[in-house]
Amino acid sequence: DAGVIQSPRHEVTEMGQEVTLRCKPISGHNSLFWYRQTMMRGLELLIYFNNNVPIDDSGMPEDRFSAKMPNASFSTLKIQPSEPRDSAVYFCASSILGNEKLFFGSGTQLSVL
Amino acid sequence: KQEVTQIPAALSVPEGENLVLNCSFTDSAIYNLQWFRQDPGKGLTSLLLIQSSQREQTSGRLNASLDKSSGRSTLYIAASQPGDSATYLCAVPYNTDKLIFGTGTRLQVFP
């Protein structure tokens, strides 16, 4: 398996623009997680899905953030409108069950100017 | 609320030394604990997962222990190598499926 695949690898955008991050989990994994990593706050869980259903989105910072998982092989994290403080590395991760070994993608480095 | 702390924040050692990295968590009602490695500019790689019923797990030169009652885990790296240089993070589940991560220990092993 190719592992968790994220795109794009890097994203540079201007404040106010819409940003869409994409994730393909490992085939057969039922749980998908979106994390954000910054120097100041470390790794923060934004939202996670079990069997394509959002279970906990309490980590989503504001209404500007939204996430979807239309099927078992694809998820998106959208920020609209983006702000400079959203600049971070966004990771997607998946696992067979939510409480088992977690596999991470390579992340998307987002810079909002 | 679960809080996870890692000490030290950074460590620099010569090649060949045996190392101990520490992880503390405030809520001992966990069912497992994971140790991850993160290389610069990369995602995280799971190294070891210890179930709450286990006291330790081993993988090659890595050994992780878990003491739930005291809220502690240690990652032992034997005979460290420059290739071990990375950031090491521990993580525990909270509210079933949410993984809470520590702030990490940045390790540098020099030749």
Side-chain angles (χ1 to χ4, degrees), chain A residues 6 8 22 24 29 37 41 43 46-47 54 57 71 73 78 84 97 99 104-106 108-109:
Chain A
Q6 290 187 247
R22 297 172 176 80
K24 182 183 186 320
H29 282 192
Q37 187 176 40
R41 301 174 69 92
L43 264 170
L46 300 177
I47 185 172
D57 64 354
N71 57 62
S73 60
K78 185 179 293 186
L97 292 174
N99 55 6
F104 278 76
S106 298
T108 294
Q109 173 77 59

Side-chain angles (χ1 to χ4, degrees), chain B residues 1-101:
Chain B
K1 182 184 176 183
Q2 179 72 275
E3 293 183 2
V4 183
T5 306
Q6 290 188 244
I7 295 173
L11 190 59
S12 183
V13 299
E15 182 176 8
E17 280 204 6
N18 300 323
L19 309 171
V20 176
L21 309 182
N22 298 292
C23 172
S24 300
F25 44 94
T26 54
D27 186 346
S28 61
I30 62 171
Y31 48 84
N32 66 38
L33 181 145
Q34 288 190 59
W35 279 94
F36 292 84
R37 167 184 173 141
Q38 184 175 27
D39 293 282
K42 302 287 181 61
L44 282 72
T45 300
S46 182
L47 297 172
L48 291 163
L49 184 151
I50 314 175
Q51 300 292 349
S52 61
S53 58
Q54 300 172 315
R55 291 195 64 86
E56 62 180 55
Q57 275 281 357
T58 298
S59 176
R61 294 181 294 106
L62 305 180
N63 176 276
S65 66
L66 175 62
D67 184 345
K68 277 185 56 176
S69 60
S70 65
R72 294 180 192 172
S73 175
T74 60
L75 179 66
Y76 177 82
I77 304 176
S80 59
Q81 303 171 358
D84 296 329
S85 299
T87 297
Y88 292 81
L89 300 99
C90 65
V92 295
Y94 182 68
N95 280 352
T96 307
D97 290 345
K98 297 170 65 168
L99 265 189
I100 305 298
F101 283 82

Side-chain angles (χ1 to χ4, degrees), chain A residues 7-8 10-11 13 17-23 34 66 74-80 82 108 110:
Chain A
S7 64
H10 298 91
E11 177 80 31
T13 190
Q17 296 297 307
E18 176 181 302
V19 175
T20 299
L21 311 181
R22 297 172 176 80
C23 175
W34 282 101
S66 63
F74 184 66
S75 177
T76 59
L77 177 67
K78 185 179 293 186
I79 308 172
Q80 181 186 19
S82 58
T108 294
L110 173 64

Side-chain angles (χ1 to χ4, degrees), chain A residues 21-40:
Chain A
L21 311 181
R22 297 172 176 80
C23 175
K24 182 183 186 320
I26 293 173
S27 177
H29 282 192
N30 299 316
S31 297
L32 183 141
F33 303 78
W34 282 101
Y35 283 89
R36 177 172 68 177
Q37 187 176 40
T38 61
M39 287 292 292
M40 291 296 294

